[in-house]
Amino acid sequence: MLSLSFPHLPTDRIARKRWGLSWRSAGRPDAPPIVCSGRLNNAMRLTALDEVAERIKLKKNQGVAEARAIYPLLDVIEEDLAADRRLLEGIADWCDRYTPLVAFDGKDGLFLDITGCAHLFGGERAMLKDILSRLFHMGFDVRGAISSSPGLSWAVSRFGDGGVIETDQMEHVLAPLPVAALRLEEGTVEALKKLGLKYIVDLLSAPRAPLARRFGAQLLLRLDQALGVEEEPVSPRRPVASLSAERRLIEPIGTEEDILAVTGQIAQSLKASLEARGAGGRVFELVLFRVDGRVFRIPVGASQPLRDPKHIASLFSERLQAIHDDLDAGYGFEILRLNVLRHDPFNATQGDFEGGRQKETSLAAFIDKIAARLGADCLQRFQLRESHVPERAAIAIPAMEGVQARRKAEDGNPFPSRSERPLRLFARPEQVEALLAEVPDGPPQIFRWRRMQHRVARSEGPERLAMEWWIDGADAEARDYFRIEDDAGHRFWIYREGFYGHELPPRWFMHGLFA
């Protein structure tokens, strides 16, 4: 587990914006110390400091007025937590080039699970050196440590000298660190210091039972996690792709033609893995790593499982055309990665003599092309649900999901269609004023809807639907639906809620339109 800490992340963000990304390697300009301030306990206090501010003995949580009295030329900038978070997310995206398992560690750190990845970069030490060197030249003050325990990596990256800690040296490296390196609450750290337990070596030599009674089980848990005795889960910030392949390029590329050509090559390398699983990809993601560290993620979906590299590349071609203005190649992309985020079983069935399979494939290709360019929700279809209440009987789903759903329904027993239902249902039924209605169970003869009066020429009904008591409650009124046509030829679907002769008069609602 690799832990990265950025002790000056907020001020590094400001320095990068003022002096460029390579300000650390070029040397810091002769400028006043930079600090960030925020409101804490109804007072403006320092929330972040750069190295120069730390050298003149300023401290976090110190009052801004006191800090200005110590150094009048202090450059105080209001904190921006959202910008700091976006910057940390950008660094996490950049770290994906080393491992897909990247997790956030508070406001100024990252965890990288590099299990099985280090040998691709020449080993753990070479990998750590490469990460720290690259981030330094990108303008960040960063410390890193690698060990088999997330807790120990965290402690050494913040309170130690960093580096790679072997398993047999874990206790030896952890012992001289302060107790704050165990990620304990501030109150617990202060209580331990008052008892003379200032360093972790003091805890290692102390009896465990009194420590647990005095400070609770959390203290011993953190100690065991740092020593690797207890497992500590780390949740990646992004779901892990089921399949992934990438190309690291000698020369960066930036044109759309080159990107699609490399994407087709990567898709070809994934085909064998998909065939071995008997699956095809449904959701793909193309990750483009730009030379300066920015990362672009381009997802596309398919209505049916895909293996064909040309088809996969064509989906990204449509997507790149749609986001052409938002894809800034800059100095070019040095790494391209293709992820299969979702895959389904691939059924290689032969088409019939009438070309039914070909028609279905053509429809799926059309849906994929439109969805890749305009988004997955641009085409929708209705899917029936197990409910007799009209507004719950069907839901709109993306058309690419509907192709698979339809195929499954055809293989089994599809829901029966209801031709007497209107194609257009209102999301919320609109109230209708019935001026003249047949009592007790007849349709309205004249009604007013949307300030227009309609005279009924023909009607059919009623169709009584009881509400679902487990959802609407036992007191929900039944509905009597009518299909009616006015003297102008307009056809409506209205219903009466309640009955004549009861304490409360019934109400009429417009629920849909036939034509």
Side-chain angles (χ1 to χ4, degrees):
M1 189 68 67
L2 167 60
S3 174
L4 295 176
S5 67
F6 301 86
H8 303 103
L9 184 67
T11 55
D12 284 346
R13 171 179 58 82
I14 298 169
R16 280 162 45 95
K17 186 175 182 180
R18 289 184 177 181
W19 306 319
L21 304 185
S22 59
W23 70 276
R24 284 191 177 273
S25 56
R28 188 184 191 278
D30 186 12
I34 298 175
V35 297
C36 295
S37 65
R39 185 168 294 277
L40 180 63
N41 297 329
N42 293 326
M44 295 302 295
R45 299 185 179 276
L46 304 184
T47 58
L49 301 85
D50 67 358
E51 296 96 317
V52 179
E54 292 177 344
R55 284 199 294 267
I56 61 176
K57 305 302 182 181
L58 297 181
K59 297 184 180 299
K60 288 185 179 181
N61 299 328
Q62 189 175 19
V64 174
E66 181 183 354
R68 286 191 183 278
I70 297 174
Y71 197 95
L73 299 179
L74 192 64
D75 190 357
V76 182
I77 300 173
E78 186 176 357
E79 67 176 358
D80 189 344
L81 299 179
D84 295 339
R85 184 65 175 184
R86 289 194 298 269
L87 179 59
L88 189 61
E89 290 175 352
I91 299 173
D93 282 335
W94 178 86
C95 289
D96 280 350
R97 66 183 59 210
Y98 296 99
T99 172
L101 304 177
V102 181
F104 290 119
D105 177 26
K107 298 179 181 180
D108 60 352
L110 296 172
F111 278 125
L112 281 68
D113 188 344
I114 60 172
T115 306
C117 302
H119 71 281
L120 301 174
F121 304 91
E124 294 176 347
R125 298 184 187 278
M127 181 181 186
L128 178 60
K129 181 180 179 181
D130 182 64
I131 294 176
L132 298 183
S133 175
R134 284 173 175 257
L135 289 173
F136 174 82
H137 287 93
M138 292 167 60
F140 295 105
D141 177 23
V142 57
R143 292 96 186 258
I146 298 177
S147 74
S148 58
S149 163
L152 180 58
S153 298
W154 188 94
V156 176
S157 66
R158 285 165 171 76
F159 296 89
D161 298 328
V164 179
I165 299 96
E166 303 297 339
T167 304
D168 56 352
Q169 297 179 344
M170 294 176 64
E171 184 174 341
H172 175 73
V173 173
L174 185 65
L177 301 181
V179 292
L182 293 178
R183 297 173 293 171
L184 301 172
E185 295 181 358
E186 186 176 352
T188 304
V189 173
E190 294 300 325
L192 288 170
K193 289 181 179 179
K194 290 180 180 179
L195 294 178
L197 303 174
K198 299 180 180 181
Y199 300 96
I200 297 178
V201 65
D202 301 327
L203 299 178
L204 294 174
S205 59
R208 296 173 66 92
L211 289 176
R213 286 196 300 269
R214 181 69 179 270
F215 301 101
Q218 185 70 11
L219 171 61
L220 299 181
L221 175 63
R222 288 300 193 188
L223 181 61
D224 291 339
Q225 287 176 343
L227 293 172
V229 178
E230 290 286 344
E231 293 289 337
E232 180 179 358
V234 176
S235 300
R237 56 191 287 268
R238 293 184 180 275
V240 181
S242 55
L243 285 173
S244 181
E246 69 178 35
R247 287 289 185 275
R248 295 178 178 268
L249 307 175
I250 299 177
E251 293 291 336
I253 61 175
T255 65
E256 183 177 321
E257 293 78 10
D258 291 340
I259 293 174
L260 293 176
V262 177
T263 302
Q265 297 173 9
I266 303 174
Q268 182 66 42
S269 65
L270 281 176
K271 184 177 180 180
S273 299
L274 289 170
E275 290 176 346
R277 298 189 179 197
R282 287 291 308 280
V283 180
F284 299 89
E285 181 186 52
L286 180 63
V287 188
L288 306 174
F289 295 86
R290 206 167 67 179
V291 173
D292 64 352
R294 187 173 177 185
V295 180
F296 294 87
R297 297 179 181 274
I298 306 173
V300 296
S303 57
Q304 57 184 356
L306 293 182
R307 291 178 184 167
D308 183 27
K310 292 183 179 180
H311 195 170
I312 297 172
S314 68
L315 295 182
F316 284 106
S317 175
E318 297 292 338
R319 190 62 184 152
L320 288 176
Q321 293 181 25
I323 64 172
H324 178 74
D325 295 336
D326 297 328
L327 185 64
D328 182 9
Y331 291 105
F333 302 105
E334 58 180 349
I335 301 176
L336 277 73
R337 179 183 298 162
L338 183 60
N339 295 328
V340 181
L341 301 182
R342 175 186 167 191
H343 61 77
D344 287 341
F346 187 90
N347 297 320
T349 58
Q350 182 177 357
D352 54 23
F353 289 106
E354 296 181 356
R357 181 66 179 175
Q358 287 80 355
K359 293 179 182 178
E360 181 178 314
T361 304
S362 177
L363 174 62
F366 169 77
I367 293 175
D368 293 345
K369 182 177 180 180
I370 298 300
R373 176 168 293 197
L374 302 179
D377 296 332
C378 66
L379 294 177
Q380 294 186 331
R381 70 181 298 272
F382 292 106
Q383 185 181 64
L384 297 179
R385 313 294 288 179
E386 294 182 347
S387 176
H388 65 272
V389 178
E391 57 264 33
R392 303 188 191 119
I395 59 172
I397 62 174
M400 61 172 52
E401 299 292 337
V403 172
Q404 287 292 101
R406 184 184 66 178
R407 186 177 298 119
K408 292 179 181 178
E410 291 173 353
D411 294 339
N413 295 319
F415 293 113
S417 61
R418 302 289 300 270
S419 59
E420 64 272 18
R421 297 287 188 263
L423 289 178
R424 181 184 177 188
L425 282 181
F426 296 144
R428 296 179 180 273
E430 301 180 7
Q431 193 161 357
V432 170
E433 181 183 359
L435 305 179
L436 179 63
E438 295 181 7
V439 179
D441 295 326
Q445 299 301 310
I446 302 175
F447 66 92
R448 182 179 290 113
W449 175 57
R450 293 184 178 178
R451 299 183 180 180
M452 293 187 64
Q453 185 168 304
H454 301 266
R455 183 179 296 275
V456 177
R458 299 175 184 82
S459 65
E460 185 179 7
E463 177 189 2
R464 181 162 296 175
L465 296 180
M467 302 305 291
E468 296 171 337
W469 57 266
W470 56 94
I471 298 177
D472 305 295
D475 299 333
E477 296 280 0
R479 299 175 181 177
D480 282 351
Y481 279 88
F482 295 88
R483 294 183 294 277
I484 62 176
E485 180 180 335
D486 66 3
D487 51 6
H490 301 129
R491 301 186 66 198
F492 308 97
W493 200 42
I494 68 174
Y495 69 86
R496 183 187 65 240
E497 186 177 80
F499 303 97
Y500 289 103
H502 288 193
E503 181 178 356
L504 295 176
R507 297 184 301 167
W508 291 87
F509 293 89
M510 180 73 64
H511 203 166
L513 302 176
F514 288 95

